[in-house]
Amino acid sequence: MIKCVATDMDGTLVNSEQKISVENSKAIKAAQREGVEVIVATGRSYEEAAFLLKEAGIETFLICINGAEVRNKKGEKLEAFGMSLDKIKAVEEVFNKHELYFEVYTSDGTYSNDYDKALSVVMDIYMSASLKNQYDELLKAAKKRFEEGKVKLIEEYEPLFQDSNILIYKMLAFSFDDEKLNRAREELKAFHGIAVSSSGKENIEVNSEEAQKGIALEKFVKSRGISLQETMAIGDNYNDLSMFHKAGRAVAMGNAPDEIKRHAHVVTKTNDEHGVAEAIESIFKPV
């Protein structure tokens, strides 16, 4: 019997309109009423994840930034894992070498050193993912990341890297040039002490090797007296594989790449067809 459900956000719980559907929200709340633990595991920062969950009326534990942070239902930080300075500088060198724009996720928030590139990248992602190419609305949403403080603008990253009071959780690079991304990814895979993944075909995510969704999920279920065999993980991309490899039931979204689906026990509907709701509802159906 499934006693814990861990779900990714982007491409999974969140649809292409950047919303959590009513169907998904209802399914999560119904599972919670039945005593099933639900935890959201995302590459997003707490601030960017919490906003959408609050909007949908969902209260859960959160694995943020791929496992760099774990938060309780009140938003209180339970665990945090940062990258070492030598790894940060090595990753920065690779990103710069391949001319990749990147953002830095920290214990003091998310930072960008280029407003125009940040806006352009987010717009490209929104436009490619959205079912309705409503340019003005999407541009407004992209700008809100800065206006609401979800992303802070900084001239240079070096002061962040040198500040001993700030943990560097994740370095997130974007590009729509597959060759650049692939070359950078191959170089990074040779490094020890980091976890290299992605939450979309247009990015590379780098965390400490301790900051992985699967590791955080394993600790969480153990703390709740639940086994991994009694856990279902739902996701759509490479940063979800660490959960898939540990959970008793791994569920890939219908919109996931074929390679991700091959690592899953089950494939559900797409994120625009409320696939999370279908996966959750399936645990209550008689076999």
Side-chain angles (χ1 to χ4, degrees):
M1 178 182 174
I2 297 299
K3 296 182 180 178
C4 176
V5 173
T7 176
D8 170 49
M9 286 194 78
D10 293 286
T12 303
L13 183 60
V14 176
N15 61 26
S16 61
E17 300 298 326
Q18 305 302 306
K19 299 286 185 182
I20 298 173
S21 71
V22 171
E23 290 83 354
N24 284 346
S25 179
K26 284 183 176 179
I28 286 174
K29 292 172 187 175
Q32 290 174 324
R33 286 194 297 271
E34 292 296 321
V36 176
E37 288 281 2
V38 178
I39 184 167
V40 170
T42 179
R44 290 181 181 232
S45 67
Y46 173 74
E47 290 74 18
E48 290 194 284
F51 172 77
L52 282 177
L53 292 170
K54 184 177 180 180
E55 189 177 57
I58 297 170
E59 292 186 1
T60 68
F61 280 78
L62 264 170
I63 294 169
C64 308
I65 319 175
N66 292 336
E69 277 189 355
V70 178
R71 303 256 188 163
N72 64 19
K73 292 181 181 180
K74 295 180 180 179
E76 297 166 335
K77 196 182 299 183
L78 303 178
E79 281 195 300
F81 299 99
M83 297 171 62
S84 63
L85 182 59
D86 62 323
K87 297 298 187 298
I88 293 165
K89 298 299 291 182
V91 173
E92 180 186 32
E93 185 177 340
V94 171
F95 285 165
N96 288 337
K97 173 183 175 182
H98 295 286
E99 301 176 320
L100 300 178
Y101 162 74
F102 68 97
E103 296 177 355
V104 179
Y105 286 59
T106 81
S107 56
D108 187 50
T110 303
Y111 287 84
S112 167
N113 65 352
D114 193 319
Y115 179 84
D116 291 333
K117 283 187 180 178
L119 216 59
S120 174
V121 163
V122 172
M123 279 298 295
D124 284 342
I125 293 170
Y126 282 179
M127 294 291 280
S128 64
S130 181
L131 294 175
K132 301 174 182 177
N133 291 336
Q134 299 171 328
Y135 183 84
D136 290 340
E137 286 187 23
L138 294 174
L139 179 60
K140 184 179 179 181
K143 287 183 176 180
K144 278 178 70 175
R145 297 178 75 223
F146 288 92
E147 292 166 1
E148 296 180 354
K150 295 187 179 78
V151 178
K152 305 173 186 180
L153 194 61
I154 192 172
E155 286 189 16
E156 296 180 354
Y157 288 135
E158 192 62 27
L160 286 179
F161 298 159
Q162 296 296 336
D163 192 332
S164 60
N165 295 314
I166 295 176
L167 290 177
I168 305 301
Y169 288 149
K170 181 174 77 170
M171 300 170 74
L172 174 60
F174 298 94
S175 178
F176 287 85
D177 185 326
D178 291 342
E179 288 188 13
K180 283 185 177 180
L181 283 177
N182 288 335
R183 287 197 296 268
R185 187 177 288 111
E186 287 306 308
E187 284 192 42
L188 291 170
K189 284 181 178 178
F191 294 0
H192 296 290
I194 61 171
V196 182
S197 63
S198 66
S199 56
K201 63 181 180 180
E202 70 291 317
N203 69 44
I204 298 174
E205 304 192 353
V206 181
N207 294 80
S208 162
E209 63 182 350
E210 297 174 292
Q212 297 184 59
K213 292 184 181 183
I215 293 174
L217 177 60
E218 184 173 13
K219 290 179 182 178
F220 175 76
V221 297
K222 184 178 180 180
S223 73
R224 313 303 281 186
I226 299 169
S227 72
L228 285 167
Q229 195 59 35
E230 296 170 317
T231 302
M232 178 168 75
I234 313 170
D236 77 305
N237 230 301
Y238 294 92
N239 62 342
D240 299 313
L241 289 180
S242 62
M243 293 198 298
F244 279 18
H245 295 155
K246 289 183 178 290
R249 187 184 303 179
V251 181
M253 298 299 293
N255 49 285
D258 288 341
E259 184 176 349
I260 303 301
K261 291 177 181 176
R262 285 195 287 271
H263 288 271
H265 301 110
V266 181
V267 176
T268 187
K269 292 180 180 178
T270 71
N271 62 324
D272 286 318
E273 298 171 319
H274 327 297
V276 169
E278 181 183 66
I280 290 174
E281 288 162 3
S282 72
I283 70 179
F284 299 109
K285 293 178 181 177
V287 179

